Amino acid sequence: MSGKIKIFADSTCDLPSTWIEKHDIGIIPLYVVFGEDSLRDGIDITPVELYAKVEETGSLPKTAAPSPSDFIAAFTPSIEQGDDILYISLSSELSSTYQNALIAADEMPPGRVTVVDSRNLSCGIGLLVMKAVHAANEGSSIPQIVDLLNKYTGQVESEFVIDTLDYLYKGGRCSGMQNLIGSLLKIRPVIKVVNGSMTPAYKVRGKKEKALEQMLSNALDKVKDMDNDLIIVVHAMAESEARFLQKALQEKTGAREVGLSTAGCVISSHCGPHTVGLMYTKKPNV
């Protein structure tokens, strides 16, 4: 018989380190690749160091999924001590992380590793991870937790305000002309996660505060539909703006907790510094 359920996620879940430690969540890092250097997200490189390297080199790193052997190495100690594993991955639309985890699971003893595709990124994954953690603590089985996650996966709402188009331009996601015009007109794109992929949602022209207010307004318009367990605000070197959103959400929603977290290297390499994101789940029956 197995011991307990061990919840795993990857470094893109962007959960606060205090939560990870408190709930003994296993974290498998993705890679950030600068030239010949392959660095583990959050272990070998931090977002601040990433921004410094981008500034120094003028180009963005590539990001890479953990290999099946990375997953096997991470899972094996828990398996050997009798635990069953539930791993919640970065969206399969964005990375081969999910597929590599499935390959690893097939190499482990049958039935001991279950892999779930979050269809999300950043703290959108984190919301699902925390639901899994609480369900496991309350005695739910892995099949019961998987059923719960399946109900919530499509109910995660994620929006990110991008402060600068430079990283989207360097990453090939917008043209040089779009970057120039966007910078001159102070156009700030807002990115949503839809069907597991990042997609432009709308643009706000003017000060960043205007974009943050719009994002907050969008969330408050759906407050009756919100699951009130947890909202997470995530940021990349934009703590004061994130705390503004956190305070407003605490005051204007019925959420039991509004968490604050910082973006890891993977989301930072795609969106750039001073990005702010807001994530919550809707009630499954909405």
Side-chain angles (χ1 to χ4, degrees):
M1 293 293 291
S2 64
K4 61 183 178 66
I5 295 172
K6 171 80 170 182
I7 306 296
F8 274 84
D10 51 67
S11 60
T12 62
C13 74
D14 289 344
L15 285 174
S17 59
T18 52
W19 297 9
I20 291 168
E21 292 165 10
K22 178 181 178 181
H23 298 290
D24 191 29
I25 300 165
I27 298 294
I28 301 168
L30 271 75
Y31 291 93
V32 177
V33 183
F34 281 96
E36 299 298 315
D37 297 328
S38 187
L39 308 169
R40 293 169 296 172
D41 179 13
I43 298 175
D44 302 322
I45 187 169
T46 66
V48 171
E49 291 167 340
L50 180 144
Y51 297 136
K53 277 185 171 288
V54 172
E55 189 71 22
E56 177 187 333
T57 63
S59 61
L60 291 183
K62 295 179 180 178
T63 56
S67 67
S69 62
D70 288 332
F71 282 105
I72 291 169
F75 292 157
T76 296
S78 294
I79 294 295
E80 289 179 345
Q81 68 182 26
D83 297 340
D84 286 333
I85 290 171
L86 176 60
Y87 166 64
I88 303 168
S89 84
L90 171 64
S91 174
S92 60
E93 299 291 331
L94 300 170
S95 170
S96 60
T97 299
Y98 171 71
Q99 191 61 42
N100 288 353
L102 287 178
I103 294 169
D106 284 342
E107 296 294 320
M108 308 303 288
R112 300 295 301 280
V113 178
T114 301
V115 180
V116 173
D117 183 357
S118 76
R119 307 286 293 169
N120 281 280
L121 77 162
S122 189
C123 290
I125 307 168
L127 288 167
L128 299 175
V129 171
M130 294 310 298
K131 287 201 174 291
V133 165
H134 293 314
N137 289 342
E138 291 167 3
S140 295
S141 66
I142 285 182
Q144 289 171 327
I145 299 171
V146 172
D147 286 344
L148 177 72
L149 295 177
N150 287 339
K151 291 177 183 176
Y152 276 101
T153 296
Q155 301 300 104
V156 176
E157 292 283 330
S158 301
E159 286 192 11
F160 297 86
V161 173
I162 309 296
D163 187 58
T164 172
L165 293 176
D166 283 351
Y167 275 57
L168 296 178
Y169 167 61
K170 287 173 182 172
R173 295 175 182 84
C174 76
S175 68
M177 185 59 70
Q178 287 173 319
N179 185 32
L180 176 61
I181 293 173
S183 299
L184 290 173
L185 299 180
K186 299 189 185 306
I187 292 173
R188 304 178 194 280
V190 177
I191 306 295
K192 285 179 68 75
V193 179
V194 179
N195 296 325
S197 296
M198 294 174 66
T199 185
Y202 55 93
K203 298 174 183 175
V204 178
R205 182 177 172 184
K207 291 184 177 180
K208 188 176 180 184
E209 288 75 14
K210 184 178 176 183
L212 294 174
E213 290 280 5
Q214 182 62 58
M215 187 164 65
L216 175 62
S217 175
N218 292 345
L220 295 178
D221 284 346
K222 299 177 183 176
V223 71
K224 290 182 179 179
D225 299 336
M226 281 184 187
D227 169 77
N228 67 357
D229 280 342
L230 177 63
I231 300 171
I232 304 179
V233 180
V234 63
H235 71 93
M237 297 178 67
E239 185 173 349
S240 63
E241 293 156 325
R243 288 197 180 279
F244 158 76
L245 285 179
Q246 181 189 34
K247 184 173 185 291
L249 290 163
Q250 285 170 334
E251 293 172 351
K252 298 177 181 181
T253 71
R256 293 189 182 96
E257 183 174 6
V258 181
L260 187 71
S261 191
T262 55
C265 290
V266 172
I267 193 70
S268 296
S269 69
H270 292 295
C271 296
H274 313 301
T275 294
V276 181
L278 191 165
M279 291 111 192
Y280 62 90
T281 52
K282 296 183 294 185
K283 298 171 187 175
N285 60 347
V286 172

